[in-house]
Amino acid sequence: MKETAIVYCENKFGTMDGKTANGLVRSSRKFEIVGVIDSTKVYLDAGEFLFGEHNDIPIFKNLDHALETVQSVPNQFIYGIAPSEAFLKQDERNLLFKAMELGMNIVNPLHEFFTNDEEFVQHAKKCGVTIHDVRKPPEKKDMHLFSGRILNIDTPIIAVLGTDSAIGKRTTSVLLEDALLKQGLNVAFIATGQTGLIQGAKYGVAIDAIPSQFMTGEIENQIMKAVENEKPDIIIVEGQGALSHPAYISSCGIIRGSRPDAVIVQHAPKREHLGDFSYMKMPTIQSEIDLIENFVKSKVIAVTINHENMSDHELEQTIAQYEHDLALPTTDALKFGCDKLVASIFEAYPNLKRKQKPVIIH
């Protein structure tokens, strides 16, 4: 049985800053999401609002409204916003204290660690609840330096990179994982951000909370754990930020640590400026592919599109144009599924076809 959870995303659900809540509404293997708090979208169905499909996850005005509606107090209160400033406002702090008083455990994806805050720690103790700081890294003595062990494995590693943050890399990674599982392959997914970890990824690390000296080693260590424990046929690694992004170095650490054999690139053709940096123009898909292939020394084997602000006609035209200009399979995994991506992986790694196992549908 999954634990129940309510996700706080005031005024941000469906936006870039609401990506943690967005991801949990799309998919959660760890929690049963019973509602989202966002007073600007109250009474809407979260799935219908986010991706046009009713999924019976209601949006509530506030915590009181939620508790009047749900059958019982949820097990978990998840802070579902990923703001660029990464710190709590006072009213949010008070709300988290109230959630604890009601008996809810706290899941915190911020860089502000509640378990380092004495007031939070004492309040949780008093209320008999737990606090999980998703991004809190291990002690440096427990971190890993790059060892080179990854150089000795022959399991294909596919990295899903992108041209910006909050552009759909994790969503595409999860959809691709599911599609490969349906092909009968044993797949390991390596999460590299807080949302993937909250969703229930078995392996991963919040890479942007790791000191740069240990980034590559921590990614390598998670992949090696997956290889040793799961003996996967293929490994999917979630990207963060963008290799070209001037504000983030996480992509560099992910690439160096995972040593991907091939790359899929996610792009939003109608996004004109980088998400949190309106003074910076978006890179082109071609420039990002060139940069990745020079840096990684591996090939981009497919392109995926984030259809934000695009009509269906624009999306179809863009897919056709990219396939012509880039000579790469191109799709929107949310709209059209992952068939092209799976085909491109089988073309790059024909031995995977022999590893397919019959899928038993219960």
Side-chain angles (χ1 to χ4, degrees):
M1 289 286 291
K2 294 181 181 179
E3 289 196 326
T4 56
I6 192 150
V7 184
Y8 173 81
C9 197
E10 178 58 29
N11 197 35
K12 299 296 182 181
F13 184 62
T15 70
M16 286 182 63
D17 282 354
K19 65 179 184 178
T20 298
N22 302 343
L24 288 166
V25 164
R26 288 189 189 280
S27 172
S28 179
R29 296 172 182 177
K30 188 173 184 179
F31 301 116
E32 178 191 349
I33 307 303
V34 298
V36 174
I37 294 174
D38 183 346
S39 65
T40 65
K41 302 166 188 72
V42 64
Y43 301 122
L44 298 177
D45 178 89
E48 192 167 11
F49 175 80
L50 190 64
F51 50 88
E53 293 181 17
H54 199 88
N55 68 352
D56 294 321
I57 299 178
I59 303 178
F60 299 113
K61 181 178 181 180
N62 51 38
L63 183 55
D64 289 336
H65 179 210
L67 295 180
E68 289 169 4
T69 308
V70 297
Q71 291 184 340
S72 59
V73 175
N75 306 116
Q76 307 284 340
F77 186 96
I78 302 174
Y79 186 89
I81 305 174
S84 55
E85 63 272 15
F87 294 104
L88 282 181
K89 302 179 180 67
Q90 186 58 50
D91 60 333
E92 294 174 332
R93 188 180 180 91
N94 295 338
L95 178 61
L96 287 162
F97 287 158
K98 181 177 179 179
M100 286 191 274
E101 290 161 10
L102 290 164
M104 284 181 263
N105 302 306
I106 304 299
V107 179
N108 168 36
L110 299 174
H111 284 293
E112 178 183 4
F113 304 136
F114 300 166
T115 52
N116 289 350
D117 185 313
E118 191 60 28
E119 191 175 8
F120 262 105
V121 171
Q122 292 303 319
H123 205 74
K125 186 177 180 180
K126 178 183 175 183
C127 297
V129 299
T130 61
I131 297 173
H132 177 36
D133 287 324
V134 179
R135 267 186 165 125
K136 192 171 187 178
E139 296 294 326
K140 288 188 177 66
K141 65 180 178 62
D142 298 319
M143 291 185 189
H144 299 80
L145 293 170
F146 186 76
S147 69
R149 292 179 297 158
I150 198 168
L151 303 176
N152 299 318
I153 68 171
D154 57 8
T155 308
I157 298 173
I158 312 296
V160 181
L161 306 181
T163 53
D164 193 9
S165 59
I167 205 165
K169 298 180 291 291
R170 185 201 66 256
T171 299
T172 292
S173 298
V174 172
L175 291 171
L176 179 57
E177 178 193 13
D178 287 341
L180 291 168
L181 287 170
K182 288 176 182 175
Q183 292 291 322
L185 295 177
N186 182 13
V187 187
F189 169 59
I190 312 298
T192 57
Q194 71 278 9
T195 305
L197 294 171
I198 297 172
Q199 284 177 311
K202 192 173 180 180
Y203 300 96
V205 59
I207 191 68
D208 63 0
I210 302 295
S212 59
Q213 182 180 5
F214 297 98
M215 277 185 173
T216 55
E218 285 295 292
I219 291 292
E220 179 194 42
N221 183 60
Q222 290 298 317
I223 290 174
M224 295 311 299
K225 282 169 61 177
V227 168
E228 291 159 8
N229 295 341
E230 312 296 334
K231 296 180 173 50
D233 300 317
I234 187 169
I235 297 168
I236 307 297
V237 180
E238 172 196 12
Q240 293 293 324
L243 188 58
S244 63
H245 203 300
Y248 305 129
I249 63 169
S250 47
S251 281
C252 301
I254 291 166
I255 290 167
R256 291 300 193 209
S258 67
R259 310 286 296 191
D261 303 291
V263 175
I264 292 168
V265 183
Q266 178 98 4
H267 182 58
K270 294 295 284 288
R271 191 180 292 187
E272 296 181 0
H273 298 90
L274 296 175
D276 290 320
F277 302 86
S278 58
Y279 50 85
M280 295 291 298
K281 283 189 175 181
M282 282 281 290
T284 65
I285 183 63
Q286 183 66 68
S287 69
E288 196 72 24
I289 289 171
D290 292 342
L291 179 62
I292 288 168
E293 290 189 338
N294 278 307
F295 188 86
V296 182
K297 303 303 180 188
S298 297
K299 286 292 183 182
V300 171
I301 61 170
V303 171
T304 49
I305 288 178
N306 177 326
H307 59 255
E308 63 183 40
N309 301 319
M310 298 182 77
S311 67
D312 289 346
H313 179 63
E314 287 174 321
L315 177 59
E316 290 166 4
Q317 278 191 321
T318 301
I319 288 173
Q321 180 184 340
Y322 281 14
E323 292 193 326
H324 178 270
D325 295 347
L326 303 172
L328 289 170
T330 302
T331 191
D332 179 332
L334 271 175
K335 287 260 189 179
F336 305 123
C338 293
D339 289 352
K340 287 184 181 180
L341 305 183
V342 171
S344 69
I345 289 171
F346 280 149
E347 183 177 347
Y349 305 100
N351 287 341
L352 284 177
K353 288 187 177 181
R354 292 194 286 272
K355 295 187 177 183
Q356 289 178 279
K357 306 168 191 71
V359 179
I360 300 173
I361 300 174
H362 297 284

